[in-house]
């Protein structure tokens, strides 16, 4: 990729400019390895690249499972429409096949969600510690909240997002003059909005599924499930971008040696 400013030299900085246009006055440091860890007096830095890739793979698997669930829900709606047109025109075998496909998709969604959630929280904690390494005083919540915030009722609706905002800002490489560039939280806002929406819609779908004795109930449950799957897929796609972007920014900041050099020496936490 060429520099967006001069269009001649390769882009090497976080803002897609070459070293000359970006104003760098020294050679960048080598890309950090996850071992041995590098640390300031406040926190230990570890490269989040490996964890990020694993999370992205699981999110992609979750999208594939959601696509299967979307197909199962579409089939359920088709069966419901057939029942509404002719209550005796749908065989028991077709109804059983539809129910079986929905059951398999639901089970796979639970497995995919559980596996992704565990690894995502581990990654989230890792980048939270890294953010503290870059800016010890830039985080409004303690690192323990990187795990606990996801499980505390009500607080889980905004604490993780607040922490993600702080980590996002702390991980932006500083400008050559030491200033901090202004960054947008649009990607984070979109991801979090879709994530919360998927939780709410999922609860509504669970309630609708309690009334599927009639053709109308089967139809409504299928439509609601399709909406839930679409929102979940969109949320997962943005989550992939968030994981990749935040991890790359931390690696870029470490690449240019912009750790918290002013932190007092001591044993890393």
């Amino acid at each position: 990729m060429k520099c967006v400013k001069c269009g001649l030299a390769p882009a090497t900085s976080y803002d897609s400019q070459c070293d000359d246009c970006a104003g760098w006055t020294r050679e960048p440091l080598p890309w950090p390895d996850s071992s041995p860890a590098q640390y300031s007096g406040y926190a230990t830095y570890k490269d989040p690249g490996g964890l990020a890739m694993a999370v992205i793979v699981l999110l992609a698997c979750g999208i594939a499972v959601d696509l299967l669930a979307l197909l199962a829900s579409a089939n359920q709606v088709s069966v419901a429409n057939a029942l509404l047109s002719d209550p005796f025109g749908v065989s028991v075998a077709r109804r059983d096949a539809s129910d079986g496909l929905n059951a398999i998709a639901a089970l796979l969604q639970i497995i995919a969600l559980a596996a992704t959630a565990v690894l995502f929280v581990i990654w989230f904690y890792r980048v939270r510690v890294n953010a503290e390494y870059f800016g010890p005083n830039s985080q409004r919540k303690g690192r323990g909240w990187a795990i606990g915030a996801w499980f505390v009722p009500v607080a889980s609706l905004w604490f993780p997002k607040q922490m993600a905002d702080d980590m996002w800002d702390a991980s932006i490489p500083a400008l050559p003059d030491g200033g901090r560039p202004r960054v947008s939280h649009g990607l984070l806002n979109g991801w979090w909005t879709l994530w919360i929406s998927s939780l709410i819609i999922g609860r509504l779908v669970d309630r609708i599924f309690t009334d599927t004795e009639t053709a109308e109930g089967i139809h409504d449950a299928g439509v609601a499930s399709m909406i839930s799957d679409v929102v979940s897929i969109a949320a997962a796609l943005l989550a992939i971008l968030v994981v990749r972007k935040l991890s790359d920014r931390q690696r870029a900041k470490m690449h240019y040696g912009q750790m918290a050099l002013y932190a007092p020496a001591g044993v890393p936490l």
Side-chain angles (χ1 to χ4, degrees):
M1 177 178 177
K2 296 296 184 181
C3 173
V4 297
K5 189 172 183 179
C6 66
L8 300 175
T12 57
S13 66
Y14 71 93
D15 55 355
S16 301
Q17 297 183 30
C18 65
D19 286 346
D20 291 335
C21 292
W24 298 110
T25 57
R26 58 179 172 78
E27 292 295 322
L29 298 178
W31 285 102
D33 295 324
S34 57
S35 179
Q38 303 181 38
Y39 62 88
S40 69
Y42 284 98
T44 303
Y45 176 90
K46 290 184 179 179
D47 189 344
L51 274 175
M53 182 57 64
V55 172
I56 289 173
V57 169
L58 285 180
L59 285 168
C61 290
I63 291 175
V65 172
D66 285 339
L67 287 173
L68 174 62
L70 184 62
L71 177 63
S73 297
N75 182 60
Q76 177 180 334
V77 172
S78 175
V79 170
N81 287 332
L83 286 171
L84 290 171
S85 299
D86 182 4
F88 302 101
V90 180
S91 66
V92 175
R94 183 181 177 186
R95 294 188 62 176
D96 289 343
S98 177
D99 292 340
L101 183 58
N102 272 292
I104 292 174
L107 178 60
L108 291 177
Q109 281 182 312
I110 293 174
I111 295 174
L113 178 61
T116 304
V118 171
L119 204 56
F120 185 90
V121 171
I122 294 174
W123 168 83
F124 197 77
Y125 180 82
R126 180 67 263 160
V127 292
R128 165 60 183 80
V129 175
N130 286 350
E132 187 175 333
Y133 177 80
F134 295 130
N137 300 318
S138 64
Q139 307 302 300
R140 287 172 285 181
K141 296 285 188 297
R143 63 177 67 173
W145 281 106
I147 298 175
W150 298 94
F151 304 99
V152 177
V154 182
S156 61
L157 296 177
W158 78 86
F159 273 27
K161 172 57 165 57
Q162 188 180 66
M163 297 186 71
D165 286 339
D166 291 344
M167 292 186 289
W168 191 264
D169 292 341
S171 301
I172 297 296
L175 297 173
D177 60 2
R180 184 180 300 277
R182 299 184 63 180
V183 295
S184 170
H185 289 181
L187 178 58
L188 289 175
N189 295 337
W191 159 63
W192 194 251
T193 299
L194 288 174
W195 165 247
I196 295 300
S197 297
S198 69
L199 294 179
I200 295 173
I201 296 174
R203 292 291 182 89
L204 294 176
V205 169
D206 290 339
R207 296 189 64 178
I208 293 175
F209 266 117
T210 61
D211 180 24
T212 56
E213 299 299 326
T214 65
E216 291 84 356
I218 295 174
H219 177 274
D220 293 343
V223 172
S225 295
M226 291 178 67
I227 295 174
S228 176
D229 294 333
V230 169
V231 174
S232 294
I233 291 171
L237 287 173
L238 290 190
I240 288 175
L241 295 178
V242 169
V243 170
R244 180 177 179 180
K245 191 74 172 179
L246 181 53
S247 299
D248 286 350
R249 281 180 170 175
Q250 290 196 341
R251 299 184 77 235
K253 187 156 187 169
M254 194 66 187
H255 182 52
Y256 287 104
Q258 296 178 1
M259 68 290 288
L261 292 177
Y262 51 84
V267 180
L269 300 176

